């Protein structure tokens, strides 16, 4: 009888669990991809974004391009979504938008903050007949910085072993770029990001290439690896490297700065971890752990990943590397996005928060910020000017070009998950058949139609910090597959707007119409050479109550884009009293004449010898040559 | 000629006898050997995504609960705790460390405790428990833990051939000594048969259905989980039915795009078996 009772209990428990499983484990599409909106009214109140339509933000050019791809029945895999850059090309004080997808660079000129129009000027950015024309696969990270050190912005566009450098000049009151083509012989590297810093502190900017894929000519057939890559693969991706600028102005790969892995790098973030002025490097990697490198006084890089960002938390799908001091404790933190789509992917976005002793941790109270679907680009900004940084995250993986609503597109997550469970040597052929089948059937999606996240930070009276996703209620409702995110103040009203590039569909521009909860300070830095992109400058805004807010000037941090170069501080009700700037050459200066609620220019030289626009009007020096290595 | 044959037979018999004496009969030693070494190797060489605290806590929790169960019940009367049960508990913790990815420091400890406690709480007779401990912890974990902190995946092992060979080597020994190899064989036979039939339904290939189960997770499942001698039938026909049933239920669940289908399938089959044994007590050896 005793045995029978045991058995009866076991049978009952087993049955209950089976029933529970069948109820609790519905099909994949029923799992939520982000946490429910539980924002208190005080957090959401007044937060509002307006999505500009075709009349003010033209995107027909993108549709045309996509239509061409549909007609050619090109597969939807690949990296195609434009890289973004915010730069004032016509020097009118309003930020213009640049979209780079390697095949073409499209410029939208800002019409005094009221709308954008397609530029009829090429600004020398036309890539036809350049070394990038025809290079496959799609790529095209773009970066604007004063690489030559002449005070004028230059441009750098990269693709598979092909680089387009444009020396900036001023022509008829506009920037113009005179192109040069490079080939570096790095045939195993297809970039998905590029960032800029003076790695060895020699006064010349260097380029950090974040490479996702290795090239199609790679003996290991890495493109196939990419199709089939699985987590913990840090050997078959692109080889990241640093192009060190030589005294001659040429760039050269310096083997002292080799990275220890070949990961699928999506984003390169730059920050100065130990305040020694030598920039350190964060790599957000797909399929592998993310990486953090400490610059050894400009002599080499030390991999400090395991000690500083414990690897067991990593999500294996790192996409983004935005760096800000989100909790205003005086230390820079960073936010790496990952894919979240239960039950297939339950990794999360990681808000690595610096501890004073050096190690980063993931704060439990910011848990909600971890879940935003298949996340990609993300940027911190104080959207409501309450003095605390908020966060915009875009998301979504892919769908077939012909799928225009969720009902048309059964998810193929399950089948992809099965593929990744196969042994490595069986996978490529199966993946190839799978892709071919999907292309033929023409109806599929993977984490598609996800709504972006707008995480508003709320600081309670006790000092606790929470993030709440308010996207739906704030007007951010597009359901596209996002990629890059950049910040830009389109109308110079002190509210930073958000530009999102999407995968195979038109980009979105969200104009921030939120009610202002406080004051703001906007700063354009001009260094001693008249350059308004002083890469590596560190800015500390000090308040009357003893608090402070810090920024480091690396506008290409994030993913697939370079944001507005003007530093933006929402200060809430605090009273800023002093601005301390450590300029790229190490000089530290303080400024006290701070103006609220307007953009102001801060010069490194007390009496600027070359105001920015006048400086740009000067002809570049003949010796400032950057060219073929 | 007959003398030569006799010599060969004698030699073979001697070799078999030597092997028989050398390899212990109890399958748990191979489970212990497989999982603990795999965790250690992965931790050292693959960069296992588990913290030292998670690993240590899982082992401690499993052994503690085993100790409590051992002292409070008569299930393992006559056995030594430290020479027998502690290893068994550690194996179950190691199995979870291999198969599960969880972010919480204490999650593995909780699951290991659940796995071990299951042996004492849910039994079908004095000696045998109803559910495989690791499988029980996994399905209960799927039920009680939010998807944000718990998953069944072993990404670290997927790039290497070693884990597959490692598990198969120990698995062959375990099923040979535990006389449960028929379960694995029938499981794979049904899997192959189903994978040959399903392409006509799903449009996918044979490999698409079959190959996911020959990765590291699949090998742990097929060789060391469904063959657990304490939770599976002892007689050959029932073993064949058991292995084939697990594969069949798994394939049906897969068709419905149910994740973790194999673990749920095993749990369903063991539950049905438990119910069956309740109804037909004289077949309890099945």
């Amino acid at each position: 009888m005793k045995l029978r009772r045991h058995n009866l209990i076991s049978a009952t428990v087993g049955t209950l669990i089976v029933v529970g499983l069948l109820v609790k484990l519905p099909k994949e599409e029923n799992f939520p991809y982000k946490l429910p909106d539980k924002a208190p009214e005080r957090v959401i109140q007044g937060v509002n974004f307006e999505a500009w339509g075709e009349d003010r933000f033209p995107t027909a050019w993108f549709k045309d391009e996509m239509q061409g791809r549909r007609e050619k029945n090109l597969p939807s895999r690949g990296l195609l979504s434009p890289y973004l850059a915010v730069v004032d090309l016509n020097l009118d004080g309003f930020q213009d938008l640049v979209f780079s997808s390697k095949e073409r660079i499209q410029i939208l000129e800002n019409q005094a903050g009221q709308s954008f129009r397609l530029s009829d000027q090429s600004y020398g950015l036309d890539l036809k007949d350049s070394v990038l024309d025809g290079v496959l696969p799609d790529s095209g990270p773009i970066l604007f910085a004063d690489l030559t050190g002449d005070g004028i912005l230059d441009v750098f566009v990269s693709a598979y072993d092909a680089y387009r450098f444009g020396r900036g000049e001023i022509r008829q009151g506009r920037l113009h770029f005179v192109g040069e083509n490079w080939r570096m012989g790095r045939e195993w590297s297809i970039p998905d990001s590029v960032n800029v810093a003076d790695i060895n502190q020699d006064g010349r900017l260097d380029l950090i290439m974040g490479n996702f894929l290795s090239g199609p000519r790679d003996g290991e057939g890495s493109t196939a690896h990419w199709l089939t890559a699985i987590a913990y693969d840090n050997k078959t991706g692109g080889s990241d490297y640093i192009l060190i600028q030589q005294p001659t102005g040429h760039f050269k790969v310096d083997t002292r700065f080799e990275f220890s892995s070949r990961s699928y790098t999506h984003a390169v973030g730059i920050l100065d971890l130990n305040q020694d002025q030598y920039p350190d490097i964060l790599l957000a990697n797909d399929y592998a752990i993310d990486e953090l490198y400490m610059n050894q006084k400009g002599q080499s890089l030390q991999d400090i990943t395991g000690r500083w960002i414990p690897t067991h938390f990593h999500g294996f799908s790192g996409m983004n590397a935005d760096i800000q001091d989100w909790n205003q404790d005086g230390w820079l933190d960073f936010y790496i996005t990952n894919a979240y789509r239960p039950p297939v992917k339950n990794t999360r976005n990681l808000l690595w928060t610096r501890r004073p002793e050096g190690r980063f941790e993931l704060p439990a109270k910011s848990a909600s910020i971890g879940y935003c679907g298949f996340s990609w680009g993300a940027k911190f900004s104080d959207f409501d000017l309450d003095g605390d940084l908020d966060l915009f995250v875009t998301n979504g993986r892919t769908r077939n070009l012909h799928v225009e609503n969720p009902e048309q597109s059964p998810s193929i997550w399950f089948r992809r998950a099965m593929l990744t469970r196969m042994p490595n040597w069986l996978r490529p052929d199966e993946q190839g058949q799978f892709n071919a089948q999907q292309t033929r059937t023409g109806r599929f999606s993977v984490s598609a139609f996800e709504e972006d996240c707008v995480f508003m930070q709320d600081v309670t009276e006790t000092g606790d910090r929470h993030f709440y996703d308010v996207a739906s209620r704030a007007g951010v409702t597009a359901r596209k597959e996002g990629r890059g995110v950049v910040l830009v103040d389109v109308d110079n009203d002190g509210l930073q707007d958000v530009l999102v590039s999407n995968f195979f569909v038109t980009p979105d521009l969200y104009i921030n119409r939120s009610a202002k909860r406080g004051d703001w300070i906007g700063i354009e830095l001009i260094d001693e050479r008249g350059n308004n992109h002083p890469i590596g400058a560190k800015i500390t805004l000090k308040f009357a109550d003893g608090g402070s807010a810090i920024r480091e000037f690396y506008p290409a941090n994030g993913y697939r884009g370079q944001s507005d170069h003007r530093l933006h501080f929402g200060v809430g009700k605090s009273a800023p009293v002093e601005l301390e700037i450590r300029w790229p050459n190490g000089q530290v200066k303080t400024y006290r004449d701070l103006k609220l609620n307007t953009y102001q220019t801060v010069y490194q030289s007390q009496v600027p010898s070359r105001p920015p626009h006048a400086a740009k009007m000067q002809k570049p020096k003949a010796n400032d040559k950057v060219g073929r290595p | 000629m007959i003398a030569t044959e006799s010599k060969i037979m004698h030699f073979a018999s001697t070799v078999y006898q030597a092997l028989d004496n050398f390899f212990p009969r109890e399958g748990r030693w191979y489970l212990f050997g497989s999982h603990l070494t795999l965790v250690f190797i992965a931790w050292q060489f693959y960069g296992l995504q588990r913290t030292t605290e998670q690993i240590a806590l899982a082992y401690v929790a499993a052994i503690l609960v085993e100790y409590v169960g051992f002292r409070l019940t008569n299930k393992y009367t006559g056995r030594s705790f430290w020479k027998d049960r502690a290893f068994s508990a550690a194996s179950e913790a190691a199995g979870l460390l291999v198969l599960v990815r969880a972010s919480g420091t204490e999650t593995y400890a909780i699951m290991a405790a659940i796995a071990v406690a299951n042996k004492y709480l849910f039994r079908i007779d004095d000696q045998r428990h109803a559910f495989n401990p690791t499988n029980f912890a996994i399905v209960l974990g799927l039920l009680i833990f939010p998807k944000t902190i718990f998953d069944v995946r072993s990404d670290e092992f997927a790039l290497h051939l070693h884990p597959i060979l490692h598990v198969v080597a120990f698995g062959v020994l375990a099923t040979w000594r535990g006389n449960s190899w028929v379960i694995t064989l029938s499981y794979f036979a049904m899997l192959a048969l189903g994978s040959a039939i399903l392409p006509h339904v799903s449009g996918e290939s044979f490999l698409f259905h079959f190959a996911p189960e020959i990765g590291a997770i699949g090998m742990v499942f097929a060789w060391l989980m469904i063959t657990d001698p304490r939770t599976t039938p002892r007689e050959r026909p029932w073993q064949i039915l058991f292995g084939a049933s697990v594969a069949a239920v798994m394939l049906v669940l897969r068709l419905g795009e149910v994740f973790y289908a194999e673990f749920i399938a095993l749990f369903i089959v063991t539950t049905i078996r438990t119910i069956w044994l309740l109804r037909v007590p004289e077949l309890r050896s099945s």
Side-chain angles (χ1 to χ4, degrees):
Chain A
M1 198 60 200
K2 187 182 170 191
L3 293 179
R4 199 165 180 79
R5 195 186 70 213
H6 271 309
N7 206 340
L8 182 63
I9 293 171
S10 304
T12 307
V13 167
T15 307
L16 287 174
I17 292 175
V18 168
V19 170
L21 282 170
L22 294 178
V23 171
K24 196 197 168 188
L25 295 179
K27 291 189 72 174
E28 177 249 326
E29 56 260 39
N30 296 330
F31 281 90
Y33 61 89
K34 58 179 177 176
L35 303 185
D37 174 3
K38 291 182 179 171
E41 198 54 34
R42 67 171 186 280
V43 175
I44 181 67
Q45 205 163 31
V47 180
N48 185 30
F49 287 84
E50 174 193 351
W52 270 8
E54 186 70 24
D55 54 331
R56 304 177 82 178
F57 178 60
T59 55
W61 58 275
F62 194 88
K63 287 177 185 164
D64 294 344
E65 188 163 320
M66 290 305 99
Q67 186 57 34
R69 288 187 162 260
R70 281 192 186 90
E71 286 165 3
K72 293 174 192 168
N73 201 24
L74 289 176
S76 66
R77 63 173 189 260
L79 297 175
L80 191 77
S81 69
Y83 294 78
L84 309 170
V86 175
V87 61
D88 183 7
L89 288 168
N90 51 10
L91 305 178
D92 64 351
F94 289 93
Q95 303 301 308
D96 306 307
L97 307 178
V98 180
F99 301 81
S100 166
S101 60
K102 184 195 71 58
E103 291 177 334
R104 70 188 281 179
I105 289 183
Q106 184 66 56
I107 298 162
L108 296 187
E109 285 181 356
N110 191 332
Q111 303 296 291
Q114 300 305 306
S115 64
F116 286 89
R117 72 173 178 88
L118 284 178
S119 174
D120 51 12
Q121 305 282 325
S122 77
Y123 294 91
L125 290 171
D126 189 354
L127 296 177
K128 282 289 174 202
D129 304 322
S130 79
V131 69
L132 271 62
D133 190 20
V135 170
L136 287 173
D138 297 314
S139 188
I142 189 166
L143 181 99
F144 291 89
D146 180 16
L147 294 169
T148 57
D150 63 357
I152 304 175
L153 283 184
D154 310 300
V155 66
F156 178 80
V157 192
S158 52
Y160 163 62
D161 187 38
Y163 308 89
R164 177 80 166 171
F165 170 77
R167 170 199 291 279
E169 294 177 359
I170 304 292
R171 291 185 185 174
Q172 299 173 329
R174 295 166 177 263
L175 280 170
H176 187 86
F177 301 97
V178 180
E180 282 185 42
N181 296 323
W182 308 344
R183 281 196 182 276
M184 306 296 293
R186 305 291 281 197
E187 295 186 351
W188 55 90
S189 303
I190 299 171
D192 195 28
S193 58
V194 57
N195 213 322
V196 62
D198 185 357
I199 292 294
N200 51 7
Q201 288 294 295
D202 61 355
R204 293 179 290 272
L205 290 176
D206 312 304
L207 295 162
I208 302 95
M209 306 297 302
N211 295 302
F212 182 76
L213 288 175
S214 34
R217 279 176 282 182
D218 186 343
E220 296 180 28
S222 173
T223 304
H225 277 291
W226 167 58
L227 294 175
T228 60
I230 54 166
Y232 224 77
D233 182 351
N234 61 357
K235 297 181 178 63
T236 60
S239 173
D240 302 326
Y241 52 83
I242 300 178
L243 297 170
I244 297 289
Q245 189 172 172
Q246 307 298 304
T248 58
H250 291 64
F251 285 78
K252 184 180 169 186
V253 175
D254 191 326
T255 54
R256 290 179 302 161
F257 300 104
E258 290 284 344
F259 296 97
S260 53
S261 71
R262 271 181 62 185
S263 300
Y264 292 75
T265 300
H266 275 303
V268 176
I270 309 286
L271 74 166
D272 186 359
L273 283 166
N274 53 353
Q275 296 302 304
D276 65 352
Q277 295 191 47
Y278 288 89
D280 308 303
I281 299 173
L282 168 69
L283 302 177
N285 295 324
D286 215 345
Y287 306 113
I289 59 170
D290 306 310
E291 294 167 90
L292 188 62
Y293 290 89
M294 181 79 83
N295 191 331
Q296 301 296 299
K297 303 288 182 196
Q299 298 302 307
S300 62
L301 297 174
Q302 183 190 1
D303 187 346
I304 58 168
T305 306
R307 282 188 291 121
W308 287 62
I309 46 173
T311 56
H312 59 278
F313 288 118
H314 292 209
F316 299 110
S317 49
M319 316 286 187
N320 180 73
D322 195 33
I323 298 167
Q324 290 289 2
D325 176 16
W326 74 273
N327 55 359
Q328 295 195 7
D329 64 352
W331 295 100
L332 287 173
D333 315 303
F334 45 84
Y335 186 67
I336 295 178
T337 54
N338 282 285
Y340 176 65
R341 183 72 184 197
V344 196
K345 287 260 187 189
N346 67 351
T347 51
R348 58 176 167 148
N349 300 337
L350 305 172
L351 179 58
W352 287 109
T353 303
R354 176 78 181 267
R355 307 236 344 131
E357 67 268 23
R359 190 181 165 104
F360 287 77
E361 64 178 14
L362 299 169
K365 285 183 177 170
S366 67
S368 64
I369 211 169
Y371 307 105
C372 182
F374 203 113
S375 301
W376 294 86
K379 289 298 286 184
F380 284 101
S381 176
D382 187 354
F383 292 125
D384 55 357
L385 306 181
D386 64 350
D388 302 306
L389 288 171
D390 311 305
L391 182 65
F392 189 103
V393 185
T394 193
N395 54 17
R397 173 64 180 88
T398 190
R399 59 188 150 102
N400 186 277
L401 288 174
H402 304 281
V403 172
E404 292 177 353
N405 62 64
E407 288 71 37
Q408 288 181 309
S409 57
S411 170
I412 55 169
W413 254 127
F414 179 82
R415 282 177 283 172
R416 286 182 66 92
M418 289 302 103
L419 284 171
T420 61
R421 284 187 48 167
M422 294 181 185
N424 217 20
W425 68 90
L426 281 174
R427 212 172 304 136
D429 185 48
E430 277 302 296
Q431 179 81 53
Q433 288 185 24
F434 180 72
N435 287 339
Q437 182 195 0
Q438 295 310 320
T439 305
R440 277 197 305 276
T441 56
R443 292 283 186 273
F444 67 88
S445 68
V446 180
S447 286
F449 302 103
E450 291 183 342
E451 181 186 82
D452 294 336
C453 296
V454 179
F455 291 107
M456 300 303 291
Q457 187 175 177
D458 180 43
V459 184
T460 63
E461 288 179 358
T462 57
D464 282 347
R465 293 172 181 273
H466 297 269
F467 283 95
Y468 297 98
D469 173 32
V470 301
S472 299
R473 290 195 274 168
V476 177
T477 54
R479 289 178 176 266
K480 301 177 181 176
E481 291 71 60
R483 288 296 183 270
V485 172
V486 292
L487 300 170
V488 50
D489 188 352
V490 169
D491 47 6
N492 295 345
D493 66 349
L495 290 168
Q496 288 200 299
D497 312 306
V498 182
L499 174 64
V500 181
S501 67
N502 295 306
F503 188 56
F504 271 106
V505 288
T506 53
D508 291 305
L509 178 62
Y510 294 105
I511 301 296
N512 187 353
R513 300 291 191 211
S514 302
K516 294 178 180 176
R517 298 186 181 191
D519 298 315
W520 60 279
I521 285 182
I523 294 162
E524 180 176 45
L525 300 175
I526 307 290
D527 71 11
E528 59 188 359
R529 289 183 286 201
N531 165 33
N532 65 358
H533 279 60
I535 301 293
K538 180 178 179 181
I539 303 92
T540 308
L541 182 64
K542 297 179 180 175
F543 300 105
D545 62 5
S548 63
I550 60 170
R551 303 278 191 276
E552 286 184 4
F553 189 83
Y554 292 105
N557 281 351
Y559 178 56
R560 279 198 175 224
Q562 176 174 0
S563 290
D564 199 326
H565 70 285
R566 297 169 298 179
L567 294 156
H568 181 269
F569 295 87
V571 299
K573 303 301 180 192
S574 304
V577 292
E578 184 179 281
L579 191 68
E580 181 184 285
I581 299 174
R582 189 189 70 197
W583 291 91
N585 66 357
Q587 185 183 30
V588 178
K589 299 187 79 171
T590 55
Y591 303 82
R592 292 196 172 81
D593 185 20
L594 302 175
K595 294 175 188 138
L596 289 174
N597 303 321
T598 186
Y599 285 102
Q600 64 187 108
T601 306
V602 174
Y603 297 93
Q604 182 177 8
S605 305
Q606 199 164 20
V607 180
S609 57
R610 294 186 298 174
H613 289 193
K616 286 167 185 163
M617 297 297 284
Q618 294 179 356
K619 287 184 180 177
K621 298 171 190 171
N623 291 335
D624 286 343
K625 181 173 177 60
V626 177
R628 191 187 300 267
Chain B
M1 190 63 181
I2 292 171
T4 307
E5 277 182 13
S6 174
K7 278 182 184 174
I8 291 171
M9 290 301 292
H10 177 70
F11 177 75
S13 170
T14 307
V15 169
Y16 184 85
Q17 198 63 46
L19 291 173
D20 195 34
N21 292 335
F22 181 77
F23 289 106
R25 284 189 177 275
E26 295 233 30
R28 70 174 177 281
W29 296 111
Y30 306 104
L31 190 70
F32 177 74
S34 168
H35 290 359
L36 257 76
T37 51
L38 192 54
V39 168
F40 181 77
I41 292 169
W43 190 41
Q44 287 298 308
F45 301 107
Y46 305 154
L48 185 70
Q49 298 293 290
R50 322 282 183 261
T51 64
T52 311
E53 292 88 348
Q54 285 175 325
I55 294 172
L57 275 176
Y59 287 139
V60 168
I63 292 171
L64 261 178
V65 175
E66 184 80 46
Y67 186 79
V68 171
F70 183 77
R71 289 291 173 212
L72 294 183
T73 71
N74 58 356
K75 188 173 182 214
Y76 295 106
T77 305
R79 295 186 183 234
S80 158
F81 178 78
W82 291 110
K83 288 181 182 171
D84 186 286
R85 304 318 310 154
F87 288 103
S88 175
S91 305
E92 279 134 23
L96 290 165
L97 287 165
V98 169
L99 292 169
V100 171
R101 187 174 187 206
S103 54
T105 304
E106 69 293 336
T107 313
Y108 290 98
I110 294 170
M111 294 193 60
I114 290 170
V116 175
N118 147 74
K119 295 190 298 187
Y120 293 96
L121 293 174
F122 307 121
R123 291 146 62 178
I124 51 176
D125 60 26
D126 263 347
Q127 294 300 309
R128 291 191 294 171
H129 31 274
F131 311 109
N132 174 272
T134 311
N135 184 244
F136 182 84
I138 285 174
V139 292
L140 201 61
L142 290 171
L143 198 63
I144 64 176
F145 288 118
K147 286 303 299 170
T148 49
I149 65 165
F150 175 88
D151 199 3
V152 186
R153 62 189 300 163
S154 300
D155 299 319
E156 302 90 331
F157 304 108
L159 276 182
H160 308 277
L161 188 59
H162 161 257
I164 294 174
L165 298 177
H166 183 109
V167 172
V168 170
F170 281 97
V172 166
L173 288 171
T175 53
W176 167 46
R177 304 307 289 165
N179 201 24
S180 54
W181 56 271
V182 173
I183 298 176
T184 302
L185 199 65
S186 54
Y187 168 80
F188 276 121
M190 177 55 83
L191 183 65
L193 182 66
S195 301
I197 295 169
L198 284 181
H200 301 291
V201 180
S202 66
E204 305 289 357
S205 66
F206 171 84
L207 273 182
F208 184 86
H209 294 285
F210 188 79
E213 296 316 308
I214 55 175
I217 291 181
M219 286 299 152
V220 170
F221 180 77
W223 289 98
L224 295 168
M225 191 179 284
I226 62 171
T227 56
D228 178 0
R230 290 187 182 277
T231 59
T232 52
R234 294 168 185 167
E235 293 172 3
R236 194 126 307 167
W238 290 107
Q239 287 185 329
I240 293 170
L241 181 65
F242 185 86
S245 301
V246 171
V249 174
M250 185 194 73
L251 288 168
V252 169
L253 292 174
R254 280 271 168 79
L255 265 188
E257 300 200 348
V258 173
F259 285 81
Y260 322 113
E262 62 271 64
F263 300 105
I264 296 174
L266 175 59
F267 193 79
I268 288 173
V269 171
T270 46
T271 298
I272 291 170
R273 176 173 170 262
T274 306
I275 294 169
W276 174 256
L277 294 179
L278 186 68
R279 288 169 56 86
V280 194
E282 63 273 18
L283 292 179
R284 238 176 230 134
S285 66
S286 61

